[in-house]
């Protein structure tokens, strides 16, 4: 009898998970839509939906268009059922954002980071201050927050507590989850920023509909998220996707990781600006920070042969890096995201040409190369989906 009850509960949780996932990603949908998309029976869908409505997790969203018969009622995830916080811990700023359950942005705040001062305690303090700020602005009680997702530069080692290895930040086995958890009781979910960007684009952006894709994050540093058969590939210790530290030029430019010739040493924002400074015979690049300096380089390319040459070389390097991704992973899509990639968006045609020169013809012809659709908020948005992903997998049961 106990086994039968456990089996029935397991089946019901799986059914709840399937229905909630479809409603979250594709809603609003009718009950009949859910029958078709999940393969569940009409009675099973009706019973589970009734429970979800009673719990306040699903709400009716008006009648669907009818061709003359009785109109069907549309269903959607209830936007105010819970809230989630997404955090982007970059190399130049910490961005904290609050979303409702329909992923509508309710509040946002940023804390600039001095590249010379990226101490873990300081970053953890910014995250905690940001959580308080965005929930206070939106007047959301902590008990209504499902969890906090955090996307961070570097390798995130998952375990009882997430530990971050980020050589560019000077972090070695930093217990980031413990540091942030000391100041909040909210559930924490920490992952690499490129991976959270990839999840956001898979759910809501340029990756929708793809089963095999690579999401490349180009900011101060460079990383990637590899999705195969719809799941993120992590490797043995979750460090898969360190595309920025693949070798582009053996013995080439020094990289912040300590090696030489890494892709990041040529196409990361810091490296691009440094190459432009060198091309200007050491003269400083206009601008107070990396974003304004990269913008100055892009603007100067209209009148400066030096700036144009640096950007053309950058497109070539980036195209070669994309070609490596295509040859290694045979994706349907390669999506370029991150603030630097967005700033360099006009280079996309040249990146495609360069990738075509370097990649094998057959996999290159199968792959599209495009910019991300969610802009500079993609890392924080993807981070905010981390607690939701667990919630959906567990059948909408809060723990």
């Amino acid at each position: 009898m106990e086994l039968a009850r456990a089996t029935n509960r397991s089946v019901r949780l799986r059914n709840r998970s399937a229905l909630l996932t479809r409603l979250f990603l594709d809603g609003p949908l009718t009950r009949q839509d859910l029958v078709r998309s999940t393969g569940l029976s009409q009675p099973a869908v009706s019973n589970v939906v009734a429970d979800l409505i009673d719990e306040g997790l699903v709400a009716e969203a008006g009648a669907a268009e009818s061709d003359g018969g009785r109109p069907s009622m549309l269903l959607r995830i209830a936007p105010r059922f819970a809230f989630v916080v997404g955090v982007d811990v970059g190399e130049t700023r910490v961005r904290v954002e609050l979303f409702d359950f329909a992923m509508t942005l309710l509040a946002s705040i940023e804390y600039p980071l001095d590249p010379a001062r990226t101490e873990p305690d300081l970053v953890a303090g910014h995250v905690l201050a940001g959580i308080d700020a965005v929930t206070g602005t939106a007047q959301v009680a902590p008990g209504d927050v499902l969890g906090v997702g955090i996307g961070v530069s570097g390798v995130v080692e998952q375990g009882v507590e997430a530990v971050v290895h980020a050589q560019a930040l000077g972090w070695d086995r930093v217990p980031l989850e413990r540091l942030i958890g000391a100041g909040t009781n909210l559930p924490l979910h920490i992952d690499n920023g490129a991976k959270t960007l990839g999840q956001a684009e898979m759910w809501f952006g340029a990756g929708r509909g793809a089963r095999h894709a690579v999401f490349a994050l180009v900011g101060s540093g460079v990383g990637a998220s590899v999705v195969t058969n719809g799941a993120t590939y992590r490797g043995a210790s979750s460090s898969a996707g360190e595309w920025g530290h693949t070798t582009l030029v053996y013995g080439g430019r020094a990289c912040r990781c300590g090696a030489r010739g890494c892709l990041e040493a040529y196409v990361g924002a810091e490296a691009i600006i440094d190459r432009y400074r060198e091309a200007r015979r050491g003269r400083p690049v206009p601008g107070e920070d990396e974003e304004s300096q990269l913008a100055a380089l892009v603007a100067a390319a209209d009148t400066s042969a030096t700036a144009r040459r640096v950007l053309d070389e950058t497109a070539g390097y980036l195209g070669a890096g994309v070609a490596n991704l295509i040859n290694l992973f045979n994706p349907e899509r390669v999506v370029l995201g991150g603030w630097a990639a967005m700033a360099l968006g006009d280079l996309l045609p040249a990146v495609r040409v360069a990738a075509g020169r370097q990649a094998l013809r057959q996999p290159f012809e199968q792959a599209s190369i495009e910019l991300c659709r969610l802009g500079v908020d993609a890392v924080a948005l993807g981070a905010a989906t981390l607690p939701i992903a667990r919630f959906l997998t567990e059948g909408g049961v809060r723990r």
Side-chain angles (χ1 to χ4, degrees), residues 267-325:
V267 304
E270 181 179 309
I272 296 170
I273 294 164
D274 192 47
R275 288 172 36 236
Y276 185 38
R277 185 182 300 111
E278 291 172 0
R280 287 162 54 90
R281 301 176 186 268
R283 283 184 295 145
V285 179
E288 296 180 355
D289 54 26
E290 286 184 2
E291 293 190 27
S292 59
Q293 289 172 334
L294 189 59
L297 166 58
V298 172
D302 289 336
T303 56
S304 166
T306 300
R308 184 74 262 162
R309 184 177 75 251
V310 170
L311 289 183
D312 289 344
E313 290 171 352
T314 300
Y317 292 136
L318 191 52
V322 169
N324 288 339
L325 294 173

Side-chain angles (χ1 to χ4, degrees), residues 95-127:
R95 176 184 283 120
V96 184
E97 299 183 338
L98 177 72
F99 301 86
D100 68 14
F101 226 52
M103 300 312 293
T104 300
L105 179 63
L106 302 179
S108 177
I109 192 169
E110 288 187 354
Y111 301 91
L113 280 179
D114 181 344
R117 293 203 61 215
T118 55
E119 295 91 344
D121 286 339
L122 177 67
V123 169
H126 286 331
V127 173

Side-chain angles (χ1 to χ4, degrees), residues 14-16 18-19 34-42 44-45 48:
R14 282 202 304 271
N15 291 349
R16 284 170 62 100
L19 292 176
L34 291 170
V35 170
R36 286 191 292 266
S37 63
T38 64
L40 297 176
S41 68
Q42 183 76 52
V45 168
V48 172

Side-chain angles (χ1 to χ4, degrees), residues 174-215:
V174 169
L176 188 62
E177 183 171 354
R178 186 189 313 162
L179 293 175
I180 298 171
T184 180
N185 292 322
L186 294 174
L188 302 176
H189 308 259
I190 303 178
D191 207 344
N192 170 267
K195 291 182 173 66
T196 69
L197 177 145
Q199 179 152 309
E201 291 289 337
M202 281 293 289
W203 280 21
F204 310 116
R208 279 183 67 89
R211 298 292 296 168
H212 305 275
V214 180
F215 301 90

Side-chain angles (χ1 to χ4, degrees), residues 77-98:
I77 296 290
R80 308 292 290 187
F81 173 78
F83 304 84
V84 286
V85 175
V87 182
D88 176 3
V89 177
E91 296 181 31
T92 59
R93 65 168 55 84
V94 175
R95 176 184 283 120
V96 184
E97 299 183 338
L98 177 72

Side-chain angles (χ1 to χ4, degrees), residues 9-10 12-14 16-17 81-82 101 142-147 185-189 387-399:
R9 182 174 184 275
S10 176
R12 194 161 188 82
L13 285 176
R14 282 202 304 271
R16 284 170 62 100
S17 176
F81 173 78
F101 226 52
D144 292 330
V145 177
L146 181 68
N185 292 322
L186 294 174
L188 302 176
H189 308 259
I388 291 178
R390 177 172 293 184
F391 181 77
L392 295 177
T393 299
E394 295 177 346
V397 177
R398 295 187 73 163
R399 301 194 183 279

